[in-house]
Amino acid sequence: MSVSRRFLTRAIAATAGAAAFAGTGAGTSAASDGPTHSSSPASRGEAGPSIKHTRKGPTGYEVTFRYYAPKASRVQLKGEWYFERPSTLPQRLTTPDQVVEGQGLLPRQWESGDVPIAHPNSTSPNWPVVDLKKGRDGVWTHTTPLPSGVFTYGFFVDANADDATTSGQLADPGNPAWNVVEGTVLGRAVDRSQIYVPGDPEFGTRDLSWQGPAAGRRGALRQVTYDSPGHVTPVDKNYMVVYTPPSYDAERRLPYPTLYLSHGGGDDEMAWSTQGAMADILDNLITDGEVEPMVVVMPNATGYASSTNEQLHRTDLITQVFPWMEKHYNVSPDASRRAYTGLSAGGMRTVYLMLNNTEQFGYYGVMSAGLPAGTTFPDALTTALKKVSVFVGGGWQDPINQGYRTNHRGPLRAVRDLNSAGIHVQSDFLDGGHEWFVWRVLLRDFLTRVAFLPQTSAPADWGM
């Protein structure tokens, strides 16, 4: 059966103080008083990708990607789907002396147990680029098998792209980001799209249904512009995306906990709600009762003047974002009901907060990052960190495990150094590199194993 997916059929609704748009496809909404951008009129009406359950190898599913460009001479597709086979790697772990190189397998070579990883393995988005075929109707197409999970992809039109190219990448007009409403972008434009592929257990694909659209009610996403004195780009303003859970109640007696979720280098506040599939992940975890309903804040951490250990971002978060959220949403002001996690550069922001503003959050999740070189643990810091919950994780093959002596020493050493200081850490490493396949899993694990749960280290006088 072939299923054409239009993620964002939307109707306009009004909200206090801003225009909001309620989504019937993605279950999201958007509101922004920032700039808007129009999509290309020639792109409208695009069919978007279609998913076919073939019940044939290697994965049981095929995806056909489409792009309407009748005047183009070449259209290319870049997709997040090189794979590695961990069971046949010469070694599993990237070390300070060697980056583990995956096999660079293509979808038709996929076997059960394979995982997505950039090739060559690096912190850059190195993914395969293929040419689409043009039909008489001006629609260019490419069909490929894919295993279960969320995959990011983008198009290049007459661009001669290669697997390291990102400049000139275009999102799928038939499958735009959630903040595209009736052809208009609210807030920042995104240059890529995502698709969720179900799993077929007959072919050994993973059950990643927790990354796909949830059954029943969905949470909502909103683009926000807030006052940020001293912010450079834009001047004295900044952006964030806010997720509210299904059935969010602004009058609920018990305020909601708040997860602060930070993007990596080169991205912004839109990354987790697009490439990270966070809304679907949260919707599923909440609907299934695996986590309590929570509000998620995804701030933009770029556009500040240079500062030591991102002090300007940390100050803005505490002095501007916290009060804004507490004024506009029913969220708890207690540090014990706030959690912070992020990936890569966002993992470093987590580290800087954990070491310098320990009292602001009860839970810290470090993804694909480590402690700065020369970090020490004076008694006051050690005592403070023993009162919070710390999570560190990443991909076994991630080149970030090598560490960067001028910035950080890598997540594996962070686990060692924190444990050596007597600070309990919940660690979480899985096969994969420096990319979203790993970070989506780490987000779920941080939320189900650490955030807003009782501490897992018993006090010395426990039971005495």
Side-chain angles (χ1 to χ4, degrees), residues 17-38:
F21 297 83
T24 60
T28 57
S29 66
S32 176
D33 43 18
T36 61
H37 313 274
S38 296

Side-chain angles (χ1 to χ4, degrees), residues 376-387 418 421-423:
T376 59
F377 296 93
D379 290 345
L381 177 59
T382 300
T383 299
L385 288 176
K386 287 181 177 180
K387 296 178 181 178
L418 288 162
I423 300 158

Side-chain angles (χ1 to χ4, degrees), residues 49-52 61-65 142-146 195-197:
S50 65
I51 306 170
K52 183 178 181 181
Y61 279 90
E62 281 186 345
V63 181
T64 297
F65 296 90
H142 174 73
T143 299
T144 182
L146 284 175
I195 190 166
Y196 168 72
V197 182

Side-chain angles (χ1 to χ4, degrees), residues 324-371:
W324 195 96
M325 288 300 302
E326 290 163 17
K327 177 180 179 181
H328 293 86
Y329 290 91
N330 183 15
V331 296
S332 174
D334 298 335
S336 63
R337 298 287 281 168
R338 288 196 294 256
Y340 193 103
T341 187
L343 63 93
S344 193
M348 288 308 301
R349 294 179 198 110
T350 309
V351 168
Y352 295 143
L353 283 161
M354 185 175 70
L355 298 180
N356 298 285
N357 306 96
T358 309
E359 74 286 354
Q360 297 295 336
F361 295 89
Y363 310 87
Y364 295 87
V366 182
M367 303 183 192
S368 301
L371 301 177

Side-chain angles (χ1 to χ4, degrees), residues 404-416:
Y404 296 86
R405 287 176 172 80
T406 59
N407 188 11
H408 70 84
R409 300 285 280 170
L412 289 163
R413 298 183 195 186
V415 174
R416 178 198 65 187

